[in-house]
Amino acid sequence: MIFALLLLLSFTSVTAQTTSVYQAFVMNGPLDRLTFIDVLTGAQTTFDLDGDRYTLINGGVLFFDRTTNRVRTAAPSGTLRDHPFVQLSGDARRIDWALSGDQIVWTLTSGATPTLTTTTYAANLDGSNERQVFADSNGEGVRAFPVAVNGTTAYMDFQPDNIGDITPFRQYAGLFALDLATGATAMLPGEPGCFCGGGIGAGRLIRLALAPDLAGFDVHVIDLTLGSEHIIPSLGTFTQGGDVVIDPGGRYAAYALGEIRDLGLPTQSVRTVVALLDLATMTQRTLVSAPDRQLRPLQFSEGALLLGDQLANETLKADLSTGDLETVAQAVFLGTVQNS
């Protein structure tokens, strides 16, 4: 496997620190190849896994191991172990999570559609202050799903069971805020909406919604503190939209639009447009148009947007000024991990 290290990412004074910095990649296949690369030495640590939902966590990657039906962590040291407390338990058949800073929130779903029960837990990453914060039971085939964590608030979604696993881009149905201290919930502005894309970050909710004339998706930018809203008109008619990512600095956001034929069939084909939102001017434009491939925004970094092509097992870099594409890794980039 050949990688081009993503040196466009900033590592301040790495050589003067005792902390080792690694870039994590996954190559999808019958068994996934998870690889950590030391950015100073180029040394690689690899794992072959039957995994799902790879997520960066302090010192490594968190994932669900389908072989063992366990949540596990993989570290650049070569250590592979069960997570100490985020696990399926009781009659739960599904586990999902979101994390930020020193907190993790996870949901356990039990039952069979249409009668589902979802229980939400929260804890510090070191396992302290573990508690149940929310429980929901319904006969409508809908489960709660963690989207993001910010301080004492978890942002969640009510969505039909398993639908998020088969849609080409990540989408949401009914976003709500969960107070991790009190367990109180409140629907976010405009929710529930269409089953469309959305993202939360830098104090904003960015939500795609069907345009009034059904010609594609308008973009609703909502300030979660002030409650103000800007609507940016649709870029055109597309059948799918999602995978919203937001620049941590709050200047830009991006999302994918798809034109999909023969969904779920061997003949399925996808055309992707990646849209760039300028949140200072509340405008958007097409950054990348990619016929016959599905590109998913990953993250912003130094004047560029990283995109993943999971079918081709590639990471690409799109220049924010020109939209020019460059392949930077023959695997999908997960992010940067630091180990002391």
Side-chain angles (χ1 to χ4, degrees):
M1 185 185 305
I2 299 174
F3 295 94
L5 287 180
L6 304 182
L7 297 179
L8 54 100
L9 301 176
S10 294
F11 305 110
T12 304
S13 302
V14 168
T15 56
Q17 300 176 2
T18 59
T19 299
S20 297
V21 180
Y22 302 86
Q23 292 179 343
F25 300 83
V26 65
M27 177 173 280
N28 302 292
L31 285 179
D32 297 337
R33 171 65 60 90
L34 174 65
T35 300
F36 295 97
I37 302 180
D38 188 311
V39 301
L40 292 182
T41 68
Q44 298 185 17
T45 303
T46 62
F47 301 86
D48 291 323
L49 307 166
D50 184 10
D52 187 24
R53 284 169 273 159
Y54 299 98
T55 309
L56 288 189
I57 198 168
N58 287 350
V61 169
L62 183 73
F63 69 99
F64 186 78
D65 189 325
R66 288 186 285 245
T67 301
T68 63
N69 217 34
R70 303 285 288 174
V71 179
R72 311 193 78 188
T73 60
S77 63
T79 302
L80 185 65
R81 57 171 59 124
D82 286 356
H83 193 276
F85 58 89
V86 178
Q87 293 293 348
L88 290 170
S89 62
D91 62 353
R93 60 172 177 80
R94 181 183 178 103
I95 185 168
D96 295 282
W97 57 79
L99 55 90
S100 177
D102 63 352
Q103 292 191 94
I104 186 166
V105 173
W106 68 101
T107 55
L108 299 180
T109 301
S110 58
T113 301
T115 303
L116 299 177
T117 298
T118 304
T119 307
T120 304
Y121 300 87
N124 296 330
L125 289 179
D126 63 6
S128 62
N129 198 26
E130 180 179 346
R131 72 271 189 204
Q132 178 182 321
V133 291
F134 180 67
D136 179 74
S137 182
N138 65 79
E140 301 172 351
V142 172
R143 62 183 173 87
F145 175 84
V147 174
V149 183
N150 182 20
T152 60
T153 302
Y155 294 101
M156 312 276 290
D157 185 47
F158 283 126
Q159 63 177 236
D161 192 29
N162 294 323
I163 192 171
D165 299 330
I166 62 174
T167 54
F169 308 113
R170 172 56 70 187
Q171 300 171 340
Y172 304 110
L175 291 162
F176 65 99
L178 169 63
D179 189 311
L180 296 176
T182 67
T185 62
M187 299 303 293
L188 294 184
E191 300 296 320
C194 62
F195 189 66
C196 301
I200 297 169
R204 290 187 172 103
L205 165 64
I206 295 180
R207 194 71 159 103
L208 305 187
L210 286 172
D213 60 359
L214 304 184
F217 301 93
D218 291 342
V219 182
H220 295 243
V221 182
I222 300 167
D223 188 302
L224 290 173
T225 301
L226 302 176
S228 59
E229 179 177 3
H230 294 268
I231 300 176
I232 304 173
S234 165
L235 282 177
T237 302
F238 293 88
T239 57
Q240 297 278 333
D243 281 359
V244 176
V245 297
I246 302 172
D247 170 22
R251 172 63 192 271
Y252 295 107
Y255 65 96
L257 291 165
E259 190 175 62
I260 302 167
R261 296 187 177 93
D262 300 334
L263 178 63
L265 299 176
T267 54
Q268 176 177 311
S269 63
V270 178
R271 170 179 172 256
T272 305
V273 163
V274 177
L276 179 68
L277 297 168
D278 187 325
L279 299 177
T281 61
M282 292 297 168
T283 58
Q284 68 172 330
R285 60 183 172 88
T286 296
L287 180 66
V288 173
S289 182
D292 299 323
R293 69 190 306 181
Q294 181 180 342
L295 298 180
R296 308 184 73 160
L298 300 175
Q299 69 177 60
F300 287 92
S301 184
E302 296 189 0
L305 175 67
L306 299 183
L307 305 168
D309 185 333
Q310 293 181 324
L311 291 178
N313 277 313
E314 290 183 349
T315 300
L316 305 97
K317 179 179 68 171
D319 185 283
L320 295 186
S321 298
T322 65
D324 291 342
L325 282 176
E326 175 187 357
T327 299
V328 292
Q330 299 299 319
V332 177
F333 182 60
L334 296 176
T336 303
V337 174
Q338 296 188 10
N339 269 359
S340 300

